[in-house]
Amino acid sequence: MAIHHPLTLAFGLLGNIISFMVFLAPMPTFYKIYKKKTTEGFQALPYAVALFSCMLWIYYALLKQDATFLITINSVGCVIETVYLAIFLFYSPKKARISTVKFLLLLNVLGYGLMLVLTLFLAKGEIRLKVVGWICLVFNLTVFAAPLCILKKVIRTKSVEFMPFPLSFFLTLGAVMWFFYGFLLKDYNIAFPNILGFMFGIAQMVLYIVYKNAKKVVLLEEPSKVQELSDHIIEVMKISTMVCPDLTPVVLQPNDINIDLIEVIPLDPNNVVKGINAEESKEDMDDASTKV
């Protein structure tokens, strides 16, 4: 085993500790899923990508040799991410469960297996290490960027419910430690992605600070809410037809309703009653004329 600079060992150890806390950061999220028995708006993509990244770094560390810190933390990461994905699959709706399983099979089974076979049989020695290193570099960037997929939802709803602050914080801190670890080892496959990782982490924390106390916006996107509003409008149209029989009734379908453009104006019950009484008086006068 090669003797590294004391700072290299220090940053490697700190990187392991902080990365372990990064892996544990989503625990409140999955506890919430467990309590509510639903995955709500949470996505499995970040955890599937993180699992794939851990698998890649273990392969890279075995090829590189003398990279014990990479092997230890990524082995732990594989176990933790697998547990997260199992919980997600258990509580997710059928459609989300099927899409997640397909993604896992495509990326973590087929993708990883294909990469393993190609690098083992088509590349040798130092070339194989460089190829795997570049693959690790690219996917490490996706691990840092994966939580950004929820940023659009945070901005739209003005809610940070689905972007936990601990995850962003520990990702940023871990990026600093692994950057210096890779820099001191002169391994830029480890160092370079953590520069962007630091930037992504800062962006997430800034967004969290901006929206943590913002008033939450509720989006009417659920079919049940659209159907309820549609039924209410249909009842209004029925009353309008009673008041004015010559009005051609229009039956609205849920798909025809633009939520953003609808303004429901409550009817005055007195006006409705007056209208109905007036119609009845008119009918009585017509009957009297007919008899005469």
Side-chain angles (χ1 to χ4, degrees):
M1 179 178 179
I3 299 177
H4 297 297
H5 191 281
L7 285 178
T8 305
L9 297 175
F11 281 116
L13 182 60
L14 288 172
N16 267 250
I17 295 172
I18 295 172
S19 294
F20 179 70
M21 298 181 75
V22 169
F23 288 131
L24 295 182
M27 285 188 66
T29 296
F30 284 91
Y31 180 73
K32 184 184 295 185
I33 291 175
Y34 167 75
K35 292 290 289 184
K36 293 186 176 181
K37 310 300 181 185
T38 176
T39 56
E40 295 184 316
F42 296 105
Q43 301 179 8
L45 176 63
Y47 311 103
V49 173
L51 175 61
F52 186 77
S53 179
C54 289
M55 296 164 64
L56 282 176
W57 281 114
I58 291 175
Y59 181 39
Y60 177 76
L62 292 174
L63 293 176
K64 183 179 177 63
Q65 300 179 352
D66 195 28
T68 307
F69 286 127
L70 285 179
I71 295 175
T72 53
I73 189 58
N74 286 289
S75 298
V76 173
C78 282
V79 175
I80 295 176
E81 298 298 338
T82 301
V83 172
Y84 288 157
L85 287 168
I87 295 173
F88 184 90
L89 290 173
F90 186 80
Y91 289 110
S92 61
K94 183 177 179 180
K95 184 177 180 180
R97 186 183 302 119
I98 293 175
S99 62
T100 301
V101 170
K102 289 180 178 178
F103 184 79
L104 287 171
L105 290 175
L106 183 64
L107 179 66
N108 297 70
V109 178
L110 182 61
Y112 185 81
L114 184 61
M115 182 276 304
L116 199 65
V117 171
L118 291 177
T119 54
L120 284 175
F121 290 98
L122 299 181
K124 302 292 181 182
E126 194 68 22
I127 296 178
R128 178 190 299 164
L129 182 63
K130 288 182 179 180
V131 171
V132 177
W134 273 100
I135 296 174
C136 289
L137 186 152
V138 172
F139 271 91
N140 203 25
L141 293 177
T142 64
V143 170
F144 286 119
L148 295 178
C149 64
I150 202 66
L151 290 186
K152 182 179 179 181
K153 186 165 189 175
V154 172
I155 295 172
R156 287 180 63 202
T157 63
K158 301 185 184 304
S159 170
V160 294
E161 181 182 2
F162 301 116
M163 190 180 69
F165 182 82
L167 179 60
S168 301
F169 175 76
F170 286 117
L171 276 174
T172 306
L173 198 58
V176 174
M177 299 303 164
W178 286 113
F179 167 77
F180 284 108
Y181 177 76
F183 180 78
L184 292 171
L185 282 180
K186 294 181 174 57
D187 190 331
Y188 300 107
N189 292 323
I190 299 174
F192 179 73
N194 288 285
I195 298 175
L196 293 182
F198 175 77
M199 296 170 61
F200 287 154
I202 292 295
Q204 292 174 57
M205 289 192 292
V206 169
L207 198 64
Y208 185 93
I209 293 172
V210 170
Y211 288 111
K212 68 175 182 178
N213 295 321
K215 185 177 179 181
K216 185 175 180 180
V217 175
V218 179
L219 302 176
L220 291 177
E221 295 180 346
E222 293 82 356
S224 59
K225 294 182 179 180
V226 175
Q227 181 62 45
E228 181 181 351
L229 183 57
S230 174
D231 293 341
H232 180 71
I233 295 173
I234 291 173
E235 291 299 320
V236 172
M237 294 301 299
K238 288 180 179 179
I239 295 175
S240 301
T241 305
M242 292 174 59
V243 176
C244 185
D246 295 333
L247 180 66
T248 303
V250 178
V251 180
L252 300 179
Q253 299 299 324
N255 294 334
D256 298 331
I257 300 173
N258 188 335
I259 299 298
D260 296 328
L261 300 179
I262 290 176
E263 180 180 0
V264 179
I265 302 174
L267 294 177
D268 186 349
N270 295 326
N271 292 339
V272 175
V273 173
K274 291 178 181 179
I276 295 175
N277 292 336
E279 184 63 27
E280 291 177 350
S281 299
K282 181 181 179 181
E283 291 178 355
D284 293 340
M285 293 178 64
D286 292 341
D287 292 342
S289 298
T290 302
K291 292 179 180 179
V292 174

